[in-house]
Amino acid sequence: MFKHESEYFQYFRATLLVYRSLLTESINHSFLTHPNPRIKRYIDILSFWLRDIKTAPEMVEKLNENNEFEAYLKAQIYISSKQIDKATNLIHKKLALDPDNATYTTLLASTTFKPEHSAPKTKPYQYQRNQSLDTRINIAKHNQNLPLTLTYLAQKSFDQGKADEALTHLNRAKKLANTQERRLIESTLDNINTILEAQKSLNLPPK
């Protein structure tokens, strides 16, 4: 089954299977296996981490930092277990090779509770935008900034096709915002309205 698949695709497929397993009610996850022991170890560690089950430190250290999937998981485990120095060291290694890597600039922001300093030079993929929004939401929550939390939640809701929910978040944020926050809220609202008007003029279904 796996013989003719590239290793990248095998890791990608394994990751999807683990996430899918979280959506099933069955406790039988025997399909979460793999003939390659490295990928099987990755599956086990990812599954434990997503279920908030503590993983032995020596297992975490075996994750290969030269592998895209294992390095990202390792950084996430470091962050969630408050090993910030280890996390930032790993993240900086990655950014030294690729300074515009949105995945790791987002992770770095989550370790410092500061937004990313540089915007990507190209339009991010949706999963990168989701990572960035999740980080901004977490930072705003950490700083107990409800207007910004609502603004970023609105952006995420709109990306998910929930225009009414997004507008509700923004209208609530406007009532609580200061002058600087209001500028971001108005800009977000303008962008959403522009997209909605364009969809309406082209007879497209709402996003």
Side-chain angles (χ1 to χ4, degrees), residues 51-206:
R51 290 177 169 80
D52 292 324
I53 301 173
K54 185 175 176 59
T55 305
E58 59 268 23
M59 292 294 291
V60 177
E61 294 305 320
K62 288 181 180 179
L63 289 169
N64 182 4
E65 296 180 9
N66 294 318
N67 177 285
E68 178 180 347
F69 293 90
E70 294 196 14
Y72 180 73
L73 175 58
K74 193 173 190 178
Q76 287 279 33
I77 292 174
Y78 282 153
I79 292 170
S80 62
S81 60
K82 311 300 182 187
Q83 299 181 71
I84 303 304
D85 287 343
K86 286 187 175 182
T88 52
N89 284 339
L90 172 53
I91 293 167
H92 282 303
K93 286 180 188 176
K94 293 297 181 181
L95 290 176
L97 298 173
D98 183 7
D100 295 319
N101 188 310
T103 296
Y104 285 100
T105 55
T106 300
L107 278 182
L108 183 61
S110 71
T111 67
T112 59
F113 290 105
K114 296 178 182 178
E116 308 95 300
H117 293 295
S118 60
K121 293 178 180 178
T122 58
K123 184 177 179 180
Y125 293 108
Q126 188 60 50
Y127 81 90
Q128 293 172 324
R129 176 168 165 79
N130 289 342
Q131 290 172 346
S132 179
L133 286 174
D134 285 341
T135 296
R136 290 172 183 271
I137 290 167
N138 288 333
I139 292 170
K141 286 181 177 179
H142 176 80
N143 294 330
Q144 298 183 342
N145 188 319
L146 185 55
L148 287 187
T149 300
L150 290 168
T151 301
Y152 297 130
L153 282 172
Q155 293 178 15
K156 189 168 183 179
S157 294
F158 188 70
D159 285 352
Q160 295 170 343
K162 303 172 183 177
D164 290 341
E165 181 177 294
L167 294 174
T168 298
H169 285 323
L170 289 173
N171 288 331
R172 185 180 173 201
K174 283 173 67 175
K175 298 175 182 177
L176 304 170
N178 60 32
T179 302
Q180 184 176 1
E181 293 162 349
R182 188 176 288 269
R183 284 197 290 269
L184 175 61
I185 295 167
E186 293 292 350
S187 174
T188 302
L189 189 58
D190 286 345
N191 287 338
I192 289 177
N193 284 330
T194 298
I195 294 172
L196 291 176
E197 286 298 321
Q199 291 173 339
K200 186 177 178 180
S201 66
L202 295 171
N203 292 320
L204 296 175

Side-chain angles (χ1 to χ4, degrees), residues 18-19 21-22 29 32 40-53 55 73:
V18 174
Y19 276 93
S21 75
L22 295 177
H29 298 308
L32 292 178
K40 177 61 169 67
R41 182 179 63 217
Y42 165 78
I43 288 172
D44 291 340
I45 296 174
L46 176 60
S47 183
F48 287 159
W49 179 67
L50 290 173
R51 290 177 169 80
D52 292 324
I53 301 173
T55 305
L73 175 58

